[in-house]
Amino acid sequence: MESKPSVLLFVTKIREEEKRIVEFLQHEGADVEIISEQSSWNVQDVKHYDIALVRCLSQSTALARARYIEAAGVKAINSRHAIEICTDKGLQSVLFSRHEIPVPAWRVVHHYRDLDGLLTQFGNRFVIKPVNASWGRGVTLIDSPASLAVWLAARESVDLKGQHLPVLVQEYIEKDNFDIRVVIVGDQPVAAIKRVSEDNWKTNTHLGADIIPLAIDDDITRLSHAVIQVLGEGVYGLDLMFNTRTGQYVVCEVNQNPEFAKSWKIHQVDIAALIARYTINSIE
């Protein structure tokens, strides 16, 4: 009789998403060990598991977990390579541009003085964002010399030594009142939604954006596959913007730990089941 597959699940806390993933893993016949950020664990014990699923909210914690898991010889979802790219928006811009994946015009700024002159270069409006933030935190629209001066004064007052650098400067994309979140599991886009906000240029759902299901068309599929070629297979949230000026999609960013507790009930694609099945099928 074959032994049960064993899965190590790393989390910050058990949310609705993780509860359902665990239920489906167990339904698939797996033994699941849950390690929260408050749990004690020994990296030497990792070798006793078939695979590890990393769903920590902290990007730095997720990356550290994946590094140790892979060093111990166990496959991690997502991989250290993928998490490292997903947790650095500047790195994404560099790599996606290199692989001819469409992204907004960008500049990685390593010194605050390098912001001088960028307003003119970016058409008098750009978005500035920390390279490693999530949920839209710290993302600021700069649309005048005055707004840039206010941003610089606030930032330099708390970051005299430049420890919060680099930052990513990104072209402001005319995208109407929505962006698009695509959930990728394995090597395929499995669900897509529009995130619509009538009164906020940021369209994150946790800021109140509405969710509208969206059919996955050939362009979304093509961009998803292009991103996977850079990151490798895994579980991702791909954020796209539809540039109304050019009529084309551009990749805003890719997240390594997509949330779906609210959205799956609207688009009706059971992401938790797909992640569980992909995890089991990834055991070598």
Side-chain angles (χ1 to χ4, degrees):
M1 180 178 178
E2 293 184 1
S3 60
K4 289 184 176 182
S6 55
V7 179
L8 194 56
L9 174 62
F10 285 92
V11 298
T12 299
K13 58 183 180 180
I14 291 289
R15 303 170 297 170
E16 180 179 343
E17 289 101 327
E18 286 74 35
K19 287 180 181 177
R20 300 191 73 254
I21 291 171
V22 170
E23 289 173 1
F24 282 110
L25 284 170
Q26 292 171 338
H27 181 74
E28 296 280 343
D31 285 329
V32 183
E33 177 75 18
I34 301 170
I35 304 293
S36 73
E37 291 189 9
Q38 289 73 42
S39 303
S40 297
W41 67 288
N42 187 343
V43 69
Q44 292 172 311
D45 294 332
V46 171
K47 63 184 179 182
H48 300 301
Y49 294 87
D50 295 312
I51 200 162
L53 181 60
V54 181
R55 286 191 59 84
C56 302
L57 294 177
S58 164
Q59 295 179 345
S60 59
T61 301
L63 181 56
R65 296 286 191 265
R67 282 173 172 163
Y68 276 99
I69 292 162
E70 291 183 353
V74 174
K75 183 174 182 177
I77 301 173
N78 287 324
S79 70
R80 174 204 57 78
H81 167 78
I83 295 175
E84 185 173 35
I85 297 170
C86 287
T87 55
D88 190 324
K89 295 176 177 62
L91 191 59
Q92 289 183 38
S93 294
V94 174
L95 287 171
F96 293 161
S97 296
R98 175 184 163 193
H99 288 85
E100 299 183 344
I101 297 172
V103 295
W106 57 275
R107 171 84 176 266
V108 178
V109 174
H110 294 274
H111 300 282
Y112 291 120
R113 63 176 179 271
D114 293 339
L115 289 165
D116 291 343
L118 288 190
L119 261 176
T120 301
Q121 292 180 35
F122 281 83
N124 296 316
R125 185 162 56 169
F126 60 71
V127 175
I128 192 166
K129 56 179 69 173
V131 296
N132 58 359
S134 56
W135 296 317
R137 289 177 299 198
V139 178
T140 305
L141 175 62
I142 304 297
D143 57 4
S144 68
S147 63
L148 178 57
V150 169
W151 185 91
L152 274 170
R155 177 55 69 95
E156 291 181 325
S157 68
V158 297
D159 189 29
L160 293 175
K161 296 183 179 180
Q163 294 176 323
H164 297 297
L165 290 166
V167 294
L168 177 66
V169 168
Q170 228 175 30
E171 170 193 11
Y172 180 83
I173 298 294
E174 296 287 353
K175 60 182 179 65
D176 280 342
N177 61 349
F178 71 92
D179 71 357
I180 295 164
R181 162 59 62 90
V182 182
V183 179
I184 296 172
V185 179
D187 62 355
Q188 295 296 326
V190 298
I193 57 171
K194 279 185 176 182
R195 301 184 295 193
V196 181
S197 178
E198 297 294 342
D199 54 6
N200 192 336
W201 67 275
K202 296 182 185 180
T203 46
N204 305 77
T205 53
H206 86 283
L207 294 176
D210 294 323
I211 296 171
I212 301 174
L214 180 70
I216 297 174
D217 60 21
D218 290 343
D219 288 333
I220 290 175
T221 299
R222 177 180 54 81
L223 284 173
S224 298
H225 289 165
V227 165
I228 293 163
Q229 287 297 310
V230 176
L231 300 176
E233 290 188 15
V235 179
Y236 307 109
L238 168 62
D239 291 345
L240 304 176
M241 295 182 288
F242 186 77
N243 190 328
T244 57
R245 184 175 56 83
T246 64
Q248 296 179 325
Y249 290 115
V250 295
V251 173
C252 178
E253 61 187 60
V254 184
N255 301 281
Q256 58 86 22
N257 187 17
E259 298 174 273
F260 51 86
K262 181 179 179 181
S263 61
W264 89 270
K265 297 168 186 174
I266 298 173
H267 58 59
Q268 294 295 301
V269 177
D270 202 335
I271 303 299
L274 294 176
I275 291 174
R277 194 169 304 122
Y278 171 65
T279 302
I280 296 298
N281 291 339
S282 298
I283 295 174
E284 298 172 348

